[in-house]
Amino acid sequence: MISRDDVNGAAHRIAGLTRLTPVLEADRGQVPGEAWFKCEFLQHTGTFKARGALNRILASKERGELTSAGIVVASGGNAGLANAFAAARLGVPATVFVPAAAPAVKVAKLKAIGAVVVQGGSEYAVAYQAAVAHAAETGAVYCHAYDQPEIAAGAGTVGSEVLEQVPDVDTLLVAVGGGGLMAGIAAAVEGRARVVAVEPDGAPTLHAALAAGQPVDVPVSGVASDSLGARRIGDIGFSVAVRAGVESVLVTDPDIIAARSALWNGYRIVVEHGAAAAWAALLSGAYVPEPGERVAVVLCGANTDPATL
């Protein structure tokens, strides 16, 4: 469980190390009411995840947990890039475990940042187990992709910024995979604005958990599975969602693809499919604002192939 105090602490801790990403007002008439884009795809490494990575490493340093082994993470995607970046920025060694089939371009990018990359196993679960074993053996600080308090609290600073940039915002639409971003934002804005979780119908982690009353495994498929492909909502994400009354809405692959194209055609914004899911909720009518409702849409990542636009 995390609170606004945790998010405020993270904001203080990572001040000056992250970018204050801008907000852009959406064209009037595209959707009911007023809407803004929180352009978090402009953050370091192209996603919000740099915030949580920096907070996790700095908090570990404050507690005296960092050793010469540095940090370790299991991810060939956005979390791996963000933690490798944060470690390099702070002068801390980073080891990243990725599946053997991880794309060469991602491995090259991790190495270019300065991380030691260890490949092995056929799927993420194997890389995760190896990373946890590495942490136990070496004393390296393990950085989870989403389900750790400092990771989620750091991500929540996105919500704190939205409150400053659009003070009278009513609702924030946030894409959900493992739930760290949603949890952090919900904690940051609790009592001041509501959060609506947007999920692909091919990976409805929070939707299924709310229906079951607890986190459950779900099958994962669809165009956004590269970034919203967690098999179950994190414990932190679920607990904060229940406490804050976060609603979940589902969008389809065609909705996501159309929203991503609309962002490019209308605004020259390039985002990954997972980030486009939040805008898809408005464009498709999966979420319909009340008259006069002011909505902020978090565009959380840009690590995608522009050729697919």
Side-chain angles (χ1 to χ4, degrees), residues 279-295:
W279 184 228
L282 280 179
L283 290 186
S284 69
Y287 180 75
V288 180
E290 297 292 332
E293 185 175 346
R294 297 162 65 86
V295 179

Side-chain angles (χ1 to χ4, degrees), residues 72-76 95-99 116-120 124 126-128 130-132 134-135:
V72 60
V73 60
S75 169
T95 302
V96 183
F97 284 80
V98 301
V116 173
V117 181
V118 181
Q119 289 183 266
Y124 169 78
V126 177
Y128 168 76
V132 171
H134 175 86

Side-chain angles (χ1 to χ4, degrees), residues 119-157:
Q119 289 183 266
S122 60
E123 57 185 23
Y124 169 78
V126 177
Y128 168 76
Q129 292 167 359
V132 171
H134 175 86
E137 293 167 5
T138 66
V141 170
Y142 182 71
C143 297
H144 197 279
Y146 52 85
D147 200 26
Q148 283 177 328
E150 292 100 357
I151 295 291
T157 59

Side-chain angles (χ1 to χ4, degrees), residues 19-23 38-43 51 161 165:
R19 293 172 179 153
L20 172 61
T21 55
V23 294
K38 174 58 170 171
C39 300
E40 190 60 14
F41 60 90
L42 296 174
Q43 191 54 256
R51 297 173 183 265
E161 289 180 6
Q165 293 166 313

Side-chain angles (χ1 to χ4, degrees), residues 213-239:
Q214 62 183 0
V216 292
D217 288 341
V218 299
V220 174
S221 63
V223 295
S225 59
D226 59 336
S227 57
L228 302 181
R231 292 196 174 276
R232 76 161 51 199
I233 195 76
D235 291 337
I236 294 172
F238 179 71
S239 62

Side-chain angles (χ1 to χ4, degrees), residues 73-120:
V73 60
S75 169
N78 291 336
L81 290 171
N83 281 280
F85 161 81
R89 185 75 179 267
L90 299 173
V92 174
T95 302
V96 183
F97 284 80
V98 301
V105 63
K106 290 186 176 181
V107 172
K109 191 176 293 186
L110 287 166
K111 291 180 177 179
I113 295 174
V116 173
V117 181
V118 181
Q119 289 183 266

Side-chain angles (χ1 to χ4, degrees), residues 152-177:
T157 59
V158 173
S160 301
E161 289 180 6
V162 171
L163 290 180
E164 295 174 357
Q165 293 166 313
V166 189
D168 49 358
V169 67
D170 298 303
T171 305
L172 290 86
L173 298 184
V174 184
V176 170

